[in-house]
Amino acid sequence: MLEMKILAIVTVTVLLFMGQSCNTKTEAKQENMKTNENELNAIFPKGEKGSEEWFTGNAYPTSLVEADSILTTVAGNVYFEPGARSNWHTHPSGQILIITDGIGYHQIEGQPIEIIKKGDVVKCPPNVRHWHGASHDVGLQQLYVIPNTEKGIVAWKEAVTDEEYSNLK
Amino acid sequence: MLEMKILAIVTVTVLLFMGQSCNTKTEAKQENMKTNENELNAIFPKGEKGSEEWFTGNAYPTSLVEADSILTTVAGNVYFEPGARSNWHTHPSGQILIITDGIGYHQIEGQPIEIIKKGDVVKCPPNVRHWHGASHDVGLQQLYVIPNTEKGIVAWKEAVTDEEYSNLK
């Protein structure tokens, strides 16, 4: 009987140990998933929150290449938290957007909102009103390139309303 | 005595189980480290291996924006495996490199090799000979932007020798 008792105690101990081990692994996995969902791959410093004059929500623009007379090109990154977007705006020479992570929206005035995601490249023609930003639920990391800056860089317009932002078709 | 025997057997079993569990975790960790070192964050499709006419080693160029008369800008990505690099070359309007992952080298003729890494942005002036590629041990993911393509895009020159490539100061 004593042997049976010892065996029972040790068996319970082993089962508890195995259970503990499994729980730890599950928690670690869930923690990873949470991190992956909330933190996109940040290539550049996050920097300061962009002005409410030009952005709705939490957007973090970072300049990477300043305008000069040789390359006549500016480039930078914007990290948009979910729900954040630029105002409507135009570029005298157009713009290239390169999406490095996350999911977002881009709309050229008069066209439906297009969904943009990691690896996508979109172009906006000169002097055309557009806006871009994150999707409702997932943030967006996007590079922008503005060519031929001798003609100007950007002309800011009014904010994108919640109705415009949510007008997905 | 029988109890002692059972206790000894079960203790050894528990220790073996714990040992097995620890080994599994260590192997998983080492596997992750290996993956992280070998696979950089790939934002764009890897595509075809670049021609030996223009690259030494395994380089994978992917065009993202083709030249047009409106944006007059080309953009693309190159993934360089460790040791791979471009030939010497020039751009009539210069070039911007944006490093999205890994570690590499960039050299403008007559200047020392500069080490470039994730988050770095480097500019090369018009009509200046330069080359860029991965470091010896770590690959490189890099975006390139070439402005004012009405003046041309690239003029390829001779390969970077092993001696030039290894001339780090």
Side-chain angles (χ1 to χ4, degrees):
Chain A
M1 276 304 288
L2 185 57
E3 301 97 78
M4 290 302 287
K5 271 188 193 164
I6 292 171
L7 196 62
I9 289 165
V10 176
T11 305
V12 167
T13 308
V14 170
L15 287 174
L16 281 174
F17 177 79
M18 287 173 74
Q20 182 58 39
S21 172
C22 286
N23 277 347
T24 309
K25 279 180 194 165
T26 311
E27 277 163 25
K29 199 175 170 189
Q30 282 172 344
E31 191 58 36
N32 274 343
M33 282 175 65
K34 205 171 157 190
T35 306
N36 289 343
E37 277 170 7
N38 289 344
E39 290 180 22
L40 302 179
N41 178 34
I43 299 169
F44 312 100
K46 189 174 173 183
E48 301 290 314
K49 183 172 180 272
S51 166
E52 286 175 17
E53 229 180 309
W54 306 322
F55 298 98
T56 300
N58 296 326
Y60 298 84
T62 301
S63 172
L64 297 173
V65 179
E66 305 276 349
D68 66 33
S69 60
I70 298 168
L71 296 169
T72 66
T73 299
V74 302
N77 190 70
V78 188
Y79 167 54
F80 292 96
E81 285 188 7
R85 66 269 190 179
S86 74
N87 280 17
W88 287 100
H89 59 284
T90 63
H91 304 280
S93 305
Q95 185 178 48
I96 298 162
L97 301 177
I98 301 173
I99 313 308
T100 60
D101 209 1
I103 303 173
Y105 307 141
H106 174 236
Q107 185 174 28
I108 291 174
E109 193 172 48
Q111 297 181 15
I113 291 174
E114 58 180 329
I115 293 171
I116 51 180
K117 58 182 196 311
K118 180 178 175 176
D120 285 348
V121 176
V122 291
K123 297 192 272 187
C124 183
N127 295 313
V128 164
R129 282 164 56 98
H130 77 151
W131 65 268
H132 31 115
S135 66
H136 286 79
D137 299 321
V138 181
L140 185 76
Q141 290 278 11
Q142 60 124 81
L143 284 161
Y144 61 84
V145 176
I146 301 171
N148 302 310
T149 51
E150 70 280 8
K151 295 179 193 161
I153 294 172
V154 59
W156 287 104
K157 313 289 181 185
E158 69 276 15
V160 172
T161 65
D162 289 346
E163 198 183 342
E164 289 171 322
Y165 177 71
S166 297
N167 190 22
L168 289 163
K169 280 171 186 162
Chain B
M1 274 306 286
L2 185 57
E3 301 97 78
M4 289 303 287
K5 271 188 194 163
I6 291 171
L7 195 60
I9 289 166
V10 176
T11 304
V12 167
T13 309
V14 169
L15 288 174
L16 282 174
F17 176 80
M18 288 174 74
Q20 182 58 40
S21 173
C22 287
N23 277 346
T24 310
K25 279 181 194 167
T26 310
E27 276 162 26
K29 200 175 169 190
Q30 284 173 343
E31 191 58 36
N32 274 344
M33 283 175 65
K34 204 171 158 191
T35 305
N36 289 342
E37 277 172 6
N38 288 344
E39 290 181 21
L40 303 180
N41 178 35
I43 299 169
F44 312 99
K46 189 175 171 183
E48 300 291 313
K49 184 173 179 277
S51 166
E52 286 175 16
E53 228 180 309
W54 306 322
F55 298 98
T56 299
N58 296 326
Y60 298 85
T62 301
S63 172
L64 297 173
V65 178
E66 304 276 350
D68 67 33
S69 60
I70 298 167
L71 296 169
T72 65
T73 299
V74 303
N77 189 71
V78 188
Y79 167 55
F80 292 97
E81 285 187 7
R85 66 267 190 182
S86 73
N87 280 16
W88 287 100
H89 59 284
T90 63
H91 304 280
S93 304
Q95 186 178 47
I96 297 162
L97 300 177
I98 300 173
I99 314 308
T100 60
D101 210 1
I103 302 173
Y105 308 141
H106 173 236
Q107 185 174 29
I108 291 174
E109 194 172 48
Q111 296 181 15
I113 291 174
E114 58 181 327
I115 293 172
I116 51 179
K117 60 182 195 311
K118 181 177 175 177
D120 285 349
V121 176
V122 292
K123 296 192 275 188
C124 183
N127 296 313
V128 164
R129 282 164 56 98
H130 78 151
W131 64 267
H132 31 115
S135 65
H136 286 79
D137 299 321
V138 181
L140 185 75
Q141 289 280 12
Q142 60 123 82
L143 284 161
Y144 61 84
V145 176
I146 302 171
N148 301 309
T149 52
E150 71 279 8
K151 296 179 192 162
I153 294 172
V154 59
W156 288 103
K157 314 289 182 183
E158 70 276 15
V160 171
T161 65
D162 288 346
E163 198 183 341
E164 287 172 322
Y165 177 71
S166 297
N167 190 21
L168 287 164
K169 278 170 187 164

